[in-house]
Amino acid sequence: MRRLQIGMWHQFIRDRWNDISNDFISGMEISKYPNKEAVEELSRFCMNENLKFGVHGPILNT
């Protein structure tokens, strides 16, 4: 199966994820997060939900 991801740039927003995700989406692509803690929060969510995430650089908005 192809990897289909939703762009979730600048920060992870659970409500946005819930609104646009479906059974065919396997994760998200992230970029320009404000800090390492925000990336770690996203990583924990993905691990708990069995999702993947990729990075569209730069990962941090610094």
Side-chain angles (χ1 to χ4, degrees):
M1 180 175 180
R2 289 190 69 191
R3 203 172 83 182
L4 298 173
Q5 297 183 317
I6 293 172
M8 189 71 69
W9 292 18
H10 302 287
Q11 70 180 22
F12 170 67
I13 301 169
R14 186 182 300 261
D15 288 341
R16 181 168 183 251
W17 171 258
N18 290 337
D19 287 344
I20 60 179
S21 66
N22 61 44
D23 292 340
F24 300 106
I25 305 297
S26 61
M28 55 194 95
E29 183 172 329
I30 67 170
S31 180
K32 297 187 176 183
Y33 273 48
N35 52 47
K36 289 172 64 174
E37 292 79 15
V39 175
E40 290 169 356
E41 175 188 354
L42 170 90
S43 179
R44 283 190 298 276
F45 175 80
C46 287
M47 285 192 305
N48 290 338
E49 299 295 323
N50 197 30
L51 299 168
K52 305 288 184 201
F53 72 92
V55 174
H56 183 90
I59 192 167
L60 295 178
N61 192 24
T62 55

